[in-house]
Amino acid sequence: MTSPTRCTDCCGRCMSAAEANAAIRRLVAGRTVWTPEALAELDRLRAVWRAAVARELTQAA
């Protein structure tokens, strides 16, 4: 049995900054109306992106 390459708890810790950025772009593409749920997901994805950028900068240093 092979182990998964990604975690399954959806916290975003396993996402790269590029993956998080792509997820944000998919979410906002063509959207003109923002529900509270969509705004909450955008906020969550932005937090994931910021954390990923911080991790990648730390690893590069």
Side-chain angles (χ1 to χ4, degrees):
M1 181 171 136
T2 62
S3 62
T5 57
R6 302 192 65 127
C7 65
T8 57
D9 63 2
C10 297
C11 66
R13 287 187 305 249
C14 62
M15 279 185 140
S16 70
E19 290 170 324
N21 187 43
I24 291 169
R25 289 178 180 269
R26 282 191 303 273
L27 180 68
V28 302
R31 188 177 293 270
T32 58
V33 176
W34 288 90
T35 63
E37 294 81 11
L39 288 171
E41 178 63 3
L42 179 60
D43 187 49
R44 185 189 74 80
L45 288 172
R46 286 177 173 165
V48 167
W49 177 81
R50 285 190 302 270
V53 167
R55 272 194 319 274
E56 291 173 15
L57 286 174
T58 301
Q59 289 171 355

